[in-house]
Amino acid sequence: MDIQKILTDAQQLSTWLSKREMKYLRNLNRYNNNGQRREDIWNLYNDPVSYNFGASEGNALPWPIENVIKSCIDTKLSKMSQVKVRPFFNPVNGKWQTRKVCRIGQQWSDQWYQRESIYQLANLCYRDAQIFEAGYIWIDEQTGKPRRLRPWEYFYDPAELNFGYTSRVMIELRQYPLVALKDILKKDTAPWSSYQNNPFYRAEKYRIYYLLEEGIRYDIVDGHLMRETAIKFKRPPVASIYYCPPVKGMWSPSLVDDLITLQRELDLVNEKIHDAEENTPANLILTPTIGGIKASTLDAGKAGLVYEYEPAPGATAPATVVTPAAVSPQLLQRRKDIIEAMYNISGVSMLSAQSKKPSGINSGVMLDTLEDVESERFNRELQDFEKFLMQICEIAVDVLEGSLLPKRPGRSTVSWKDLQREREFFSIQFSPASALSNTPKVKMEQVEKLQKMGIVGPEWVASMLQFPDLEKVYGIATANRDDIEMITERAAEEGDFEFYEVVSLPDLYKNVMNEIMRLDADEGDNEKILRNLVEFLGVIKGKMDELAAAAQPPAPPAAPPGPPQVPQQMQPGPVPAPPPAAAPVALGQGGEPVPQASNVLASAPTAGGPI
């Protein structure tokens, strides 16, 4: 695209949204002090003591300002700072590669949120939404770092935002140090000459223009194109949170907008109270004209005023000292009502804002009920804040490039391209940063209970506790678990079945068995991984059998030979009776036996036959 068109459109975006600056200026000054200061939202070199306090006519001292708006915002911020949503990469029983990138992505997410102070940045953006209307975090795809954007530094097309189709966005940073841009400055441009003459010179306007439809990022310094970079993402790299989502377009109220009229009325009441206190004498001395005391002889100074009066005829009275009421009780009640109304509108209780128990709340049950009602009041804002933290992670997954974790020996190498390739097969859900208590004693009781219920195995107990003062001990305790996961990964992907003998074979066998069942339950392409793991399971089983056989006690030695054993039938005992003698057998002429009579009879034919 023609660079001149880019520069023209960037200026158009800036012109459209420059109308919001007056509102942001008013709200910034209202939050920072008394609403009278005129601090520019762009200037970073303003005078920190240039306050304009309001004072009544004829009074040198300004009236006191009670900034209830700031109290409400800071109280809500303290409540939201307790929310720490942890992005959770859920593969939903996916393929081996999906679960691998989810595991590595989870490690990156936990480290990135901690290292880059995402929760602190998110809290500041939440405060921006309360003051102005919205808060923004930009994920710089070139540095991989999140940056908080002030609401007046982010530009977009209001119509595209309204219809949910954003094709171009722009980030504008003013008074940006050129020393931070020295790597992209072109030597034939005015910004480069300014940097050469003074390295600490500041760019008037540094604009990052994203043309999402074309997939190009433009870096523009003071109207000069310095760099043109191809990008692969189609979504704006900026996460946003609103105090109240816009009804249409881009404009939305903020908490300051909701409370500013009551704050101004409170300022007016405080002005009247201040004037009454300043102009009312501490003492009023009344002296009669015939009392023998001349008013001119009395000098009360700043301690009071002296007035003469005419007493009743014939009456005499000495001088009287009177202390008048400085402020009307109705004015004090009005002030109290305004403050209470502001807290009610913001949904903040006196218990939270002032750290004290409201009048009439005496029991613990009533205090709990009061806090529950307050929590319900902020339920929608809590959901928006959780979504905001999740949006930061989702944008980072879509726009970042390179390796998820620094490369080192023994660590799985997974790139952002791998994670993006598997993006449709897993979901990023949110969960509390930790479901366990922060109190060590309670945390140990919770983990012990989970172990007794069978939800957590003994190998996970040390990693769940993770107390800083015992981290070294827990690191040793979890070493077996970490090594088992790495051994299983090598066996599944590379077919490498070698491991040190110090590994717990039952734990390794159980881990491989669980992986096989997970992969078998999924319908993805896991055949190669399954074959490797099944073969590895056989290897582990063989080693376990060898150890079991080696652990069996040896068989006892054979007994020495004794005297020969006499068979039972050869041993002496009662002599059996001899069998009856057989009858003699007669032989015929040919030597064949002649049948006896009994034999003849046995073989004789039946009656009626031939004899």
Side-chain angles (χ1 to χ4, degrees), residues 175-424:
Q175 298 181 350
Y176 197 81
L178 284 178
V179 67
L181 302 174
K182 61 180 181 180
D183 295 334
I184 69 171
L185 295 179
K186 293 184 178 180
K187 297 186 178 181
D188 56 347
T189 59
W192 172 259
S193 301
S194 300
Y195 170 70
Q196 288 293 96
N197 296 330
N198 183 4
F200 305 106
Y201 188 77
R202 301 171 303 278
E204 181 181 352
K205 294 179 181 179
Y206 171 42
R207 290 173 171 173
I208 301 97
Y209 182 95
Y210 288 96
L211 190 60
L212 301 173
E213 279 296 304
E214 302 294 334
I216 304 176
R217 163 179 166 164
Y218 300 91
D219 289 73
I220 305 169
V221 181
D222 290 342
H224 299 271
L225 177 63
M226 295 296 165
R227 182 169 59 186
E228 181 178 333
T229 310
I231 56 176
K232 299 180 181 180
F233 50 89
K234 300 296 183 181
R235 65 182 301 176
V238 178
S240 61
I241 180 173
Y242 279 89
Y243 164 72
C244 180
V247 177
K248 69 178 185 67
M250 55 163 290
W251 305 112
S252 171
S254 66
L255 184 56
V256 175
D257 298 332
D258 291 343
L259 300 179
I260 195 167
T261 53
L262 286 174
Q263 180 68 58
R264 287 172 175 170
E265 184 174 358
L266 178 62
D267 294 342
L268 182 60
V269 171
N270 283 334
E271 177 187 358
K272 293 180 178 180
I273 294 176
H274 170 72
D275 290 344
E277 290 178 341
E278 187 173 353
N279 295 321
T280 301
N283 294 303
L284 179 61
I285 302 175
L286 302 177
T287 177
T289 56
I290 60 174
I293 300 176
K294 298 295 184 180
S296 59
T297 62
L298 296 176
D299 184 10
K302 295 182 179 181
L305 297 177
V306 180
Y307 289 96
E308 289 184 338
Y309 69 96
E310 293 286 342
T316 59
T320 305
V321 179
V322 180
T323 303
V327 183
S328 169
Q330 293 181 350
L331 202 59
L332 296 176
Q333 183 61 39
R334 178 57 181 159
R335 169 186 166 276
K336 181 179 179 181
D337 292 342
I338 294 174
I339 295 177
E340 184 177 353
M342 294 180 70
Y343 282 123
N344 289 339
I345 291 176
S346 64
V348 176
S349 67
M350 301 292 287
L351 176 67
S352 301
Q354 300 179 353
S355 299
K356 71 176 184 179
K357 179 178 67 64
S359 60
I361 305 298
N362 299 316
S363 68
V365 176
M366 297 178 70
L367 290 174
D368 292 341
T369 303
L370 182 65
E371 293 180 354
D372 288 342
V373 171
E374 193 174 68
S375 300
E376 293 176 1
R377 172 68 171 79
F378 300 135
N379 185 54
R380 196 269 307 164
E381 293 188 41
L382 174 61
Q383 294 179 0
D384 289 344
F385 188 70
E386 292 173 344
K387 182 180 178 182
F388 178 57
L389 288 170
M390 295 301 300
Q391 188 182 13
I392 295 172
C393 182
E394 292 173 352
I395 291 177
V397 170
D398 291 341
V399 306
L400 295 183
E401 297 180 354
S403 298
L404 270 78
L405 298 176
K407 295 182 179 180
R408 70 181 186 187
R411 170 180 284 175
S412 299
T413 56
V414 175
S415 66
W416 286 105
K417 185 180 297 185
D418 298 330
L419 191 65
Q420 293 160 2
R421 187 184 302 114
E422 300 290 330
R423 182 65 183 88
E424 60 179 319

Side-chain angles (χ1 to χ4, degrees), residues 426-451:
F426 68 88
S427 61
I428 302 179
Q429 302 172 346
F430 72 88
S431 64
S434 177
L436 302 176
S437 172
N438 293 326
T439 305
K441 181 176 182 299
V442 178
K443 191 173 186 179
M444 294 181 68
E445 292 175 353
Q446 291 175 335
V447 174
E448 183 179 1
K449 184 176 181 181
L450 292 174
Q451 186 180 5

